[in-house]
Amino acid sequence: MNESKSKWKFTVENADGMIQRPIIIIGAPRSGTTILQRCLAVHPGLWHLRAESHYILEGPYHPRKLGRQSNRCTKEDTDEETVESIRERFYEEAMNVSKVLSNPGWLFGTSSLVGRALSAAAVLSLGNCSKIAKPDELRFLEKTPKNSLRVSLLDRLFPDALFIWNQRHPAKNIDSLVAGWHTSDKIGPIELPRFARASYPVAEELNLEDYSDKWWKFALVPEWETLQSKTIGEVAAWQYYQCNRYALKDFQAIDDERIFELNHESFVRDPLSNVRDILEWADLPTSQVIEQFSRALPQVNDTRGETRDEETGLRYPEGVQRGMRSVAELNALSGRMGYDEIRVYP
């Protein structure tokens, strides 16, 4: 698979009408897909959902409905009737706040609980207004980390889709996952689990060493049942490995030109150049709004309160190290993603 940054057009007979050449962001949970999605979502030519696509895909492709134990889905797990129904639902739900606001960037640059709630309400309200101006054919942007396990399925749903594979250094990504598992939202005396949207009450079955809640957070990856009595660091390392492993496996059946491999660290260092490369590859015009948002890239979906280790910059260095050592295949996968040095400690 080669990285492609050249302007490219793709046509397919059964992709006519409604959503054309959607851009689907693929990446493990906590790999930086949210900030990338928000950056691209301000482009006036891209339509998107009001939130991640759980409320569409969890219906027909819920693990229980498929008789599965994970979020893993392939093109064989659906039929043409369901495919058409899902395509229509994505089109119906698509919105574009840029059709209502000339610069919607402020809607996508918040991380606090109150800010997230107000932003979600504003996006829903303004997005619904934007549907009045919805064209018959549109470009679409989608981001849901669980889709790392569904690339084959998405390729059947949208056979002309473009995929951005967002990759992050394993130690940093796993550390962020661990922080997410231990993070909650507090409203006065009430504490609510965070990052548990469309989750499953199965975590307590594992008797994890350092987590007692029932809710499994982030993607329900294949073979999660083998993590009995493990730590959250080991769970997070397995999630990182499985999400990227299955994404890579499914990408093997997709033309290289439809895949853009993005290094998260590079994106954070120089978001503007990377966004320009993505727009050129996706055959989208440049946008003053998206360039402005890129220059002042906000911090989103962060977890607060943890102290970072001075030597590693991680919040849970020992847990991350234990987790990375528990997945023997991680070195080879990380090398394929361009991370030759994956030690926690220098």
Side-chain angles (χ1 to χ4, degrees):
M1 189 190 313
N2 298 317
E3 183 175 322
S4 174
K5 294 184 179 180
S6 59
K7 188 174 291 188
W8 171 77
K9 293 186 178 182
F10 180 79
T11 58
V12 63
E13 289 184 4
N14 59 349
D16 52 276
M18 299 200 295
I19 293 176
Q20 294 283 313
R21 289 186 298 153
I23 299 172
I24 302 177
I25 299 172
I26 297 297
R30 308 297 293 164
S31 66
T33 56
T34 296
I35 188 56
L36 174 61
Q37 187 272 342
R38 293 187 182 182
C39 191
L40 295 176
V42 302
H43 192 286
L46 286 175
W47 294 69
H48 53 83
L49 298 178
R50 58 181 167 83
E52 293 180 349
S53 58
H54 306 297
Y55 67 103
I56 296 178
L57 296 179
E58 287 285 320
Y61 306 119
H62 190 284
R64 188 181 300 112
K65 187 164 187 178
L66 294 176
R68 300 283 176 81
Q69 294 296 318
S70 75
N71 293 131
R72 173 64 174 159
C73 291
T74 70
K75 61 183 179 181
E76 285 80 21
D77 292 316
T78 194
D79 55 48
E80 198 55 37
E81 182 180 355
T82 305
V83 165
E84 291 300 326
S85 174
I86 293 296
R87 285 178 187 158
E88 291 175 5
R89 182 77 188 282
F90 269 98
Y91 176 82
E92 291 169 359
E93 293 291 328
M95 55 182 59
N96 187 339
V97 292
S98 293
K99 301 300 180 184
V100 183
L101 293 177
S102 59
N103 188 347
W106 61 273
L107 288 173
F108 301 105
T110 183
S111 185
S112 68
L113 175 60
V114 173
R116 297 196 313 269
L118 292 175
S119 175
V123 167
L124 179 60
S125 177
L126 296 172
N128 284 333
C129 292
S130 74
K131 294 180 180 180
I132 298 173
K134 188 181 298 185
D136 292 335
E137 296 182 359
L138 53 84
R139 298 295 300 275
F140 183 77
L141 176 70
E142 155 64 3
K143 186 279 294 187
T144 303
K146 286 182 181 180
N147 286 342
S148 297
L149 302 170
R150 302 168 175 152
V151 172
S152 173
L153 171 69
L154 291 167
D155 186 44
R156 180 168 179 184
L157 292 175
F158 301 107
D160 61 345
L162 307 180
F163 295 92
I164 301 176
W165 184 14
N166 192 74
Q167 304 162 5
R168 188 178 185 184
H169 189 283
K172 297 292 180 63
N173 200 152
I174 294 167
D175 184 60
S176 189
L177 277 166
V178 174
W181 273 90
H182 290 305
T183 296
S184 60
D185 280 324
K186 293 184 178 180
I187 307 176
I190 302 174
E191 189 167 324
L192 301 172
R194 191 176 173 192
F195 304 117
R197 183 180 300 169
S199 58
Y200 314 97
V202 299
E204 60 186 356
E205 298 176 20
L206 298 178
N207 297 310
L208 296 172
E209 188 175 309
D210 52 348
Y211 183 81
S212 58
D213 200 292
K214 67 178 180 179
W215 293 108
W216 178 276
K217 293 190 177 185
F218 308 113
L220 189 65
V221 295
E223 300 177 63
W224 64 269
E225 312 97 311
T226 66
L227 299 171
Q228 284 285 341
S229 303
K230 301 294 186 180
T231 65
I232 286 298
E234 291 169 300
V235 171
W238 191 240
Q239 288 178 305
Y240 175 89
Y241 171 71
Q242 291 286 65
C243 284
N244 284 296
R245 169 201 172 198
Y246 278 103
L248 177 59
K249 179 180 180 180
D250 287 350
F251 282 142
Q252 305 306 312
I254 297 174
D255 291 339
D256 290 357
E257 293 82 0
R258 294 171 56 199
I259 304 164
F260 188 104
E261 295 189 34
L262 180 66
N263 175 279
H264 174 69
E265 290 77 20
S266 172
F267 176 75
V268 172
R269 284 193 305 269
D270 190 0
L272 185 56
S273 293
N274 280 280
V275 164
R276 286 172 174 169
D277 287 341
I278 290 170
L279 295 181
E280 181 181 10
W281 164 78
D283 194 25
L284 286 167
T286 57
S287 161
Q288 183 178 353
V289 175
I290 200 172
E291 294 211 354
Q292 180 180 340
F293 190 91
S294 299
R295 288 190 179 98
L297 203 63
Q299 188 175 25
V300 298
N301 259 3
D302 61 324
T303 56
R304 304 179 184 276
E306 304 100 333
T307 301
R308 292 186 181 272
D309 176 69
E310 292 184 4
E311 186 179 8
T312 64
L314 303 178
R315 289 156 289 194
Y316 301 91
E318 293 183 3
V320 171
Q321 180 168 257
R322 179 171 174 176
M324 289 171 60
R325 287 176 174 174
S326 71
V327 184
E329 306 90 338
L330 186 57
N331 281 291
L333 177 66
S334 299
R336 163 60 187 81
M337 295 164 62
Y339 298 106
D340 296 325
E341 179 56 75
I342 65 169
R343 293 183 302 173
V344 171
Y345 293 96

